Amino acid sequence: MPTYKLIYFNARGYGELARLLFAVAGVPYEDIRVERASWPNEYKAICPFGQMPLLEVDGKILAQSSAIARYLAMEFGMAGKDNWEQARIDMVVDSFGDILQDMRVPYLETDPEKKEALVKQFVGESLPKRLGYLENILKENGGGQGFIVGDSLTWADLGVANSVDYLKLMCPNPFENFPLLAGLVQRVREIPQVAAWIAKRPETAT
C-alpha cells in the first residue's frame, strides 16, 4: 500500500474532501496540519502552484484540491463505474467550483455595507439558483433518495456533504429549501466512517 501524506493548514477548507475520502476508505495517512505563519518556509518551495493542499504519495507530490480528491477517489473506488459516471461526477464537483467563485466576492469584500449587499445577493439569488440545478440532478437519479451519480457512494456525494461547512459561513441553513440535497447530506454524514471522522476531527473555524 502506498504511503500517503496530506499537507494542508489546520482547517477543513480545501483539504477536507480528501480527509473524508481517506476516512471512508479506511486508508491510513499522515494528516500534516501546517501553521499559516510557518508554511512559506516549510512547504511553499515544494508546492507546484505555490499553494496547498498537497498530497504526497510515496514521496511524489500532487497539488490542486480537486485533482487530489479525484485521484484518491479513483484509488479507493469512489470515482464512478464508467466514463459517463466519472464525467457526471466531475460535472457536479465543478458546479461547486462555481458556487465558491460566487462566494469569493462577498467573502473578500472589506467594506461592511458592500459586503452586506453582496452576501444578500449571494444567499438570495446565486446560491439558490445553483443549488436548484443540483437538486434537479439529484432528483433525476432515481428520484433523489440515493446518490447524486450512479447507485453507490462517490466523491461527488462527499463533496455535497462537505459543502455545508463552507456554505454556512454565509447561509446558516443552505439546503433548507432543497430537501433532496438535505437528505443526501444527512445520509452521507450518517455513514459510520464519516460520522466517526466528524466526531474526532480537530475543531477549526473553517
Side-chain angles (χ1 to χ4, degrees):
M1 178 182 293
T3 299
Y4 295 104
K5 296 179 182 179
L6 182 68
I7 305 165
Y8 191 58
F9 301 112
N10 185 27
R12 295 185 298 276
Y14 287 101
E16 195 64 11
L17 182 51
R19 295 182 183 124
L20 287 167
L21 282 157
F22 278 118
V24 172
V27 172
Y29 71 106
E30 187 175 353
D31 186 12
I32 299 174
R33 292 173 179 254
V34 183
E35 295 302 320
R36 292 183 184 275
S38 61
W39 91 269
N41 293 327
E42 292 183 12
Y43 289 102
K44 192 170 184 178
I46 64 169
C47 295
F49 301 99
Q51 60 192 23
M52 298 193 293
L54 299 175
L55 178 68
E56 183 178 311
V57 185
D58 291 338
K60 298 177 290 187
I61 293 292
L62 184 66
Q64 300 290 10
S65 57
S66 289
I68 290 168
R70 185 180 295 108
Y71 170 78
L72 292 175
M74 290 189 294
E75 290 293 291
F76 302 158
M78 288 181 271
K81 296 177 179 177
D82 54 34
N83 289 344
W84 179 252
E85 285 194 4
Q86 290 172 12
R88 295 283 291 185
I89 290 166
D90 286 344
M91 177 183 75
V92 170
V93 173
D94 287 351
S95 75
F96 279 98
D98 295 335
I99 292 173
L100 284 172
Q101 190 63 37
D102 290 345
M103 282 186 69
R104 183 176 177 82
V105 176
Y107 185 77
L108 295 178
E109 179 58 59
T110 57
D111 181 274
E113 290 187 6
K114 290 181 180 178
K115 188 181 189 74
E116 182 180 358
L118 289 168
V119 169
K120 185 177 180 180
Q121 189 275 332
F122 172 74
V123 171
E125 298 178 29
S126 63
L127 180 60
K129 179 181 71 174
R130 295 197 186 281
L131 291 181
Y133 298 151
L134 287 165
E135 182 90 346
N136 290 336
I137 290 168
L138 178 55
K139 185 176 182 179
E140 290 169 0
N141 191 37
Q145 301 305 311
F147 304 99
I148 200 162
V149 176
D151 59 5
S152 61
L153 182 75
T154 70
W155 68 292
D157 301 299
L158 293 173
V160 173
N162 184 53
S163 72
V164 173
D165 287 337
Y166 57 80
L167 292 178
K168 280 185 176 179
L169 294 172
M170 292 187 186
C171 184
N173 192 359
F175 296 147
E176 182 177 13
N177 297 316
F178 304 96
L180 297 181
L181 288 171
L184 175 61
V185 170
Q186 181 176 349
R187 290 191 297 277
V188 171
R189 291 195 165 213
E190 288 176 350
I191 294 169
Q193 301 97 314
V194 174
W197 168 248
I198 291 174
K200 75 176 185 180
R201 69 187 177 185
E203 288 287 338
T204 58
T206 58

